[in-house]
Amino acid sequence: AKTQFVERIRLHEIAAGSTPRDLDYAAFMGARGGAFLQGTATSIAPGTRQVTVDGANGRSHVLEYDRLVYAPGSSTDRRAVPGADEFAVRLDTADESRALFRRLSPGREVLIVGGGLTAIEAACELAERIPGLSVTLAAGRAFGPSPGPGGLSPDGFDHVLATLERLGVRILTGKRVIALEDGTAKLEDGDTLPFDECIWAAGFRIPDLARNSGLSVNASGQVVTDGVLRSVSHPEILAVGDAAEVVAEPGGVCRMSCAAGRPMGERAAGTVLGDDAPFAFGYSFRCVSLGREDGLIQFVDETDRPRAEVWTGARAARWKEYICRRTLVGVGFDDDLGPPPDEPPTFQR
């Protein structure tokens, strides 16, 4: 249960020494005539339209609803291999990221498990901002360009690879980490990797709340929705973000991302207010931070498949920072976006 909005897209920066912003939920809701209850939702009773919340003060609360927006998000899947939960940290919270930074210093060995954008951004940020830190990226088997949804073009991947190498990140590919022990990662071919700190960034998991509450979910636990983001089994419940299975036109199946999550939230608000327009969404680019002075803008088609065009270097870094600031403005936590950099890309629709 949190009292602060977490800028998840900046947690790798906090792990490298940045200070998180003060984004208090209670003040945010109070300024809009709403209310904030700190706690953890433990069950949903669709039959009586009630949610049970275990409050931070130890009290249990039962909240009634006419419409419910289900948006618990996702967390790093640290149960994927034996030992990951005990011997790895996640970049899921500001507190965990700050605690990690306090343990990092030149000469220490940091192992990052995962080949996705979270792992790449963390590897670049730590290697650039903490000189002398030894960073290894265990990227698994599928590290490379991909023509499918969520992938990178050959030129985009080549820039990522060149940046990792420029920053001195050791890259291990072709074999997965299958277990963690205290200070040691076991690989599937029998080799081992030593570490002082292990960051687990290999996949996400969805809370079991919807499944346990009787909502229709897919194999991953995401709530199955219709064209206006309503649960197909309980239409008074709308599901958005990582914990929702959403198919949009023209984008198709929406991947877990802030790019899709924010438009989903806007569309759900419209549905609650009586506008049942279908959820329309298409992708246009992916933005990746590669340290403070470098980045990648990977242009994609509406279905999230990479196009040939990419932006790199300082221009991409400026746009990545602008997108991060724009995210806070978009949800109402900030109103000072400032002018965009030159040559703005087309934003996701």
Side-chain angles (χ1 to χ4, degrees):
K2 301 184 288 285
T3 62
Q4 300 278 321
F5 175 75
V6 176
E7 288 188 88
R8 194 168 180 178
I9 54 178
R10 290 196 187 273
L11 289 174
H12 64 290
E13 298 176 27
I14 296 170
S18 294
T19 301
R21 292 187 57 176
D22 181 12
L23 302 169
D24 183 69
Y25 279 125
F28 177 84
M29 292 302 297
R32 290 157 177 78
F36 170 70
L37 173 64
Q38 183 186 2
T40 301
T42 56
S43 68
I44 302 170
T48 57
R49 299 195 179 188
Q50 294 178 324
V51 179
T52 300
V53 177
D54 287 348
N57 57 6
R59 293 176 52 196
S60 180
H61 305 264
V62 177
L63 307 179
E64 298 182 349
Y65 64 86
D66 296 309
R67 288 287 187 96
L68 173 67
V69 179
Y70 182 80
S74 64
S75 61
T76 305
D77 187 4
R78 206 164 58 181
R79 302 179 185 177
V81 303
D85 195 41
E86 295 89 350
F87 302 115
V89 298
R90 298 174 293 181
L91 298 181
D92 279 350
T93 70
D95 287 345
E96 194 164 19
S97 297
R98 279 185 299 219
L100 173 63
F101 172 69
R102 289 192 291 268
R103 297 193 300 270
L104 299 180
S105 59
R108 290 180 66 80
E109 297 274 351
V110 175
L111 172 65
I112 302 173
V113 181
L117 299 190
T118 299
I120 291 168
E121 290 190 333
C124 291
E125 197 79 21
L126 295 175
E128 178 184 271
R129 295 178 61 185
I130 307 177
L133 191 69
S134 177
V135 180
T136 298
L137 180 67
R141 298 174 183 167
F143 192 60
S146 169
L152 298 179
S153 67
D155 285 347
F157 178 75
D158 284 348
H159 183 72
V160 168
L161 194 62
T163 304
L164 289 166
E165 292 175 345
R166 172 176 61 81
L167 293 172
V169 176
R170 177 191 176 194
I171 305 168
L172 180 68
T173 62
K175 46 191 174 182
R176 296 181 301 111
V177 173
I178 60 170
L180 292 182
E181 295 179 350
D182 189 7
T184 304
K186 292 185 174 182
L187 305 177
E188 59 185 336
D189 64 352
D191 285 348
T192 60
L193 286 173
F195 62 82
D196 296 306
E197 296 288 345
C198 178
I199 299 172
W200 194 264
F204 298 100
R205 64 189 306 270
I206 306 299
D208 293 328
L209 177 60
R211 187 193 306 276
N212 294 341
S213 299
L215 279 67
S216 178
V217 299
N218 64 14
S220 298
Q222 294 172 306
V223 174
V224 182
T225 66
D226 64 12
V228 293
L229 306 180
R230 296 174 303 205
S231 162
V232 296
S233 60
H234 298 85
E236 72 280 3
I237 298 175
L238 291 91
V240 301
D242 288 359
E245 180 187 83
V246 174
V247 181
E249 286 291 339
V253 177
C254 294
R255 62 176 164 86
M256 297 162 68
S257 64
C258 61
R262 177 189 155 191
M264 287 182 201
E266 293 173 349
R267 180 62 263 153
T271 302
V272 169
L273 294 173
D275 177 6
D276 284 343
F279 178 59
F281 173 77
Y283 296 91
S284 57
F285 62 91
R286 307 183 81 193
C287 50
V288 189
S289 71
L290 302 173
R292 295 299 84 209
E293 304 298 329
D294 198 351
L296 170 68
I297 302 295
Q298 172 67 68
F299 290 88
V300 299
D301 66 16
E302 291 182 326
T303 63
D304 202 28
R305 296 177 183 274
R307 294 164 46 196
E309 183 181 5
V310 297
W311 289 356
T312 61
R315 176 171 64 165
R318 289 194 300 269
W319 266 104
K320 169 66 175 182
E321 177 61 25
Y322 184 76
I323 295 299
C324 290
R325 296 202 313 269
R326 187 174 181 266
T327 299
L328 281 187
V329 172
V331 297
F333 268 108
D334 203 348
D335 58 6
D336 183 18
L337 182 59
D342 55 345
E343 300 184 79
T346 301
F347 291 120
Q348 280 93 344
R349 294 184 298 283

